[in-house]
Amino acid sequence: MVLLLSVALSLSLIVLIGAAAMERAAILSRINGANGLAILVGLVVSAAASIVVALLAGWIGGWGAMPTVLAGSALYHWAMAKLLLGGLQALASRIAAGDRVKSPPR
């Protein structure tokens, strides 16, 4: 079961870090539009996959393991959302502040 959880966590990290990289590139390129959509989709896909992983963990390790895996998954996704969104918001704020300084007064 440790192998299953390790693979699932690794794949989730790849998806979430990839989504954060896409958002970061959009912020640095000053692209307006669906801001945060990549992070939202990454979190939804990862959370949906964690339900499948919890079912597999319950089947492999006994059904008592399923609530533990679900609780750990919820905590993990909450923490990743806070960390990734906080970092992206700080980056967006720095970019916006730099743009305000560069723009001429009206």
Side-chain angles (χ1 to χ4, degrees):
M1 189 164 76
V2 172
L3 180 62
L4 170 71
L5 296 176
S6 299
V7 169
L9 181 65
S10 299
L11 291 175
S12 175
L13 279 172
I14 289 169
V15 167
L16 294 177
I17 290 174
M22 290 169 54
E23 292 290 342
R24 179 177 163 76
I27 292 169
L28 291 175
S29 300
R30 292 165 175 79
I31 296 174
N32 292 328
N35 298 329
L37 185 60
I39 290 286
L40 176 65
V41 169
L43 283 168
V44 168
V45 166
S46 179
S50 72
I51 293 171
V52 174
V53 170
L55 287 172
L56 285 172
W59 183 61
I60 292 170
W63 295 109
M66 190 171 70
T68 305
V69 172
L70 282 174
S73 173
L75 182 63
Y76 163 76
H77 285 96
W78 175 78
M80 287 300 289
K82 294 291 278 184
L83 288 171
L84 293 176
L85 292 175
L88 290 172
Q89 182 61 45
L91 176 65
S93 296
R94 283 195 309 266
I95 295 292
D99 288 348
R100 279 192 296 269
V101 169
K102 291 179 186 175
S103 67
R106 293 183 185 192

